[in-house]
Amino acid sequence: MGIKYKIRLGFITIGILLFLSGIISSLELARFNRATHNLLAKSQGSIEISKQMLDAIQEQNTALLLSITDTGRNAVYDSLIAQSNLAFDQAFRTAQAELRDPIRLDAIRTASRYYNNIVSQVTDSTDIAWFTDVYKTSYYNLTYAIKEFMVQIQHRTIDYTAQLERNAYRASMVGIIALGAGILLLLVFYFMLSNYFTGPVLQITKSLKGYVNSRLPFEVAVSTRDEINTLKEYIAALVSANKKTRQ
């Protein structure tokens, strides 16, 4: 194998390794960025949906309380209650469609069914005592279930964030390992150049200088079968021919 080919092969190998390490690191970082963006988007969307459900229930609670205390405007409050109930149902269906694990909505589903059953009992004769003794419990249960759902989202976001941090560490480690391998390969390449190229050339130069200046024997050991060895053999032949001429 020629020297030119060896040097070219060494640099190409190092270049390919560093290029691959850069590609791998870039892909890992891109995947990390996508995962982070998706996580934040899903968490924000889930929290927004939870807020919509909570707002709808609170509006319905206010309208129901006003309808009980102000019997002269029942039709208006009934419309507000129906609109709030519709807004809650829409937000709940959106949450069911977007969540991968709808089981987390079971508590809200159960509480909302009980709440709607209680609200359906409202009549013109319903008084404030019913509101405080019967209705309030179902209202608190439903709002508590929604708030617990929001807390679960926050906890899952924290867990996902920790996982993303570990993924980012692994992504950086891939680049570091590849870079370390590239540096190691560069050192090996330097060692090979020093021992199989630079070293033999210096030995040939030193031995040839010794022959020219002091007529010392030209003796150089070259272990490779390349241009360096060919150069050594030609110089040895030239020195031998020069000795014969002098004799």
Side-chain angles (χ1 to χ4, degrees):
M1 183 183 295
I3 295 175
K4 183 178 180 181
Y5 181 78
K6 290 179 181 178
I7 296 175
R8 182 182 301 171
L9 179 62
F11 279 112
I12 290 176
T13 303
I14 294 174
I16 291 175
L17 184 60
L18 295 178
F19 175 76
L20 290 178
S21 67
I23 292 295
I24 293 173
S25 298
S26 298
L27 292 176
E28 288 293 329
L29 289 176
R31 187 173 64 86
F32 173 74
N33 289 334
R34 288 194 301 270
T36 303
H37 177 75
N38 293 336
L39 170 63
L40 294 177
K42 289 180 180 179
S43 299
Q44 183 178 0
S46 298
I47 292 175
E48 182 63 27
I49 292 172
S50 302
K51 185 176 180 298
Q52 291 174 4
M53 288 190 289
L54 194 60
D55 290 343
I57 292 301
Q58 290 174 345
E59 290 175 1
Q60 188 172 359
N61 175 70
T62 302
L64 183 60
L65 177 61
L66 292 175
S67 69
I68 294 174
T69 57
D70 186 6
T71 56
R73 299 176 60 187
N74 277 337
V76 176
Y77 297 131
D78 288 343
S79 176
L80 292 176
I81 292 173
Q83 292 177 3
S84 300
N85 187 49
L86 179 61
F88 175 84
D89 289 340
Q90 289 177 345
F92 185 79
R93 285 195 296 269
T94 301
Q96 284 182 311
E98 293 185 357
L99 286 178
R100 293 183 178 180
D101 187 12
I103 297 178
R104 288 186 290 160
L105 295 171
D106 285 348
I108 298 178
R109 182 185 297 106
T110 301
S112 65
R113 288 175 180 173
Y114 178 70
Y115 175 82
N116 290 331
N117 182 56
I118 295 298
V119 172
S120 65
Q121 300 174 10
V122 176
T123 62
D124 293 339
S125 61
T126 301
D127 55 12
I128 195 66
W130 174 90
F131 183 86
T132 56
D133 297 339
V134 179
Y135 167 80
K136 273 296 184 181
T137 301
S138 64
Y139 171 74
Y140 287 144
N141 288 340
L142 181 54
T143 55
Y144 176 80
I146 296 173
K147 291 177 181 178
E148 279 296 305
F149 176 69
M150 297 176 71
V151 171
Q152 291 177 10
I153 294 173
Q154 293 174 351
H155 287 168
R156 290 177 69 90
T157 302
I158 294 174
D159 294 338
Y160 279 131
T161 302
Q163 181 179 354
L164 289 175
E165 289 179 354
R166 292 191 293 269
N167 291 340
Y169 175 76
R170 287 197 295 268
S172 62
M173 284 303 298
V174 171
I176 292 174
I177 292 174
L179 182 61
I183 294 174
L184 180 62
L185 185 60
L186 184 62
L187 293 176
V188 172
F189 184 60
Y190 172 79
F191 174 79
M192 293 179 63
L193 284 179
S194 177
N195 283 271
Y196 297 106
F197 178 70
T198 308
V201 169
L202 292 176
Q203 290 180 13
I204 292 173
T205 303
K206 182 179 179 181
S207 183
L208 183 60
K209 183 179 180 180
Y211 172 77
V212 172
N213 294 335
S214 305
R215 291 296 184 267
L216 297 176
F218 180 79
E219 295 179 353
V220 178
V222 178
S223 59
T224 58
R225 299 296 179 183
D226 51 21
E227 291 87 347
I228 299 296
N229 184 65
T230 302
L231 177 63
K232 187 264 296 184
E233 291 178 351
Y234 277 120
I235 293 176
L238 183 61
V239 170
S240 178
N242 184 62
K243 287 181 179 180
K244 292 179 180 180
T245 302
R246 287 181 175 275
Q247 292 176 356

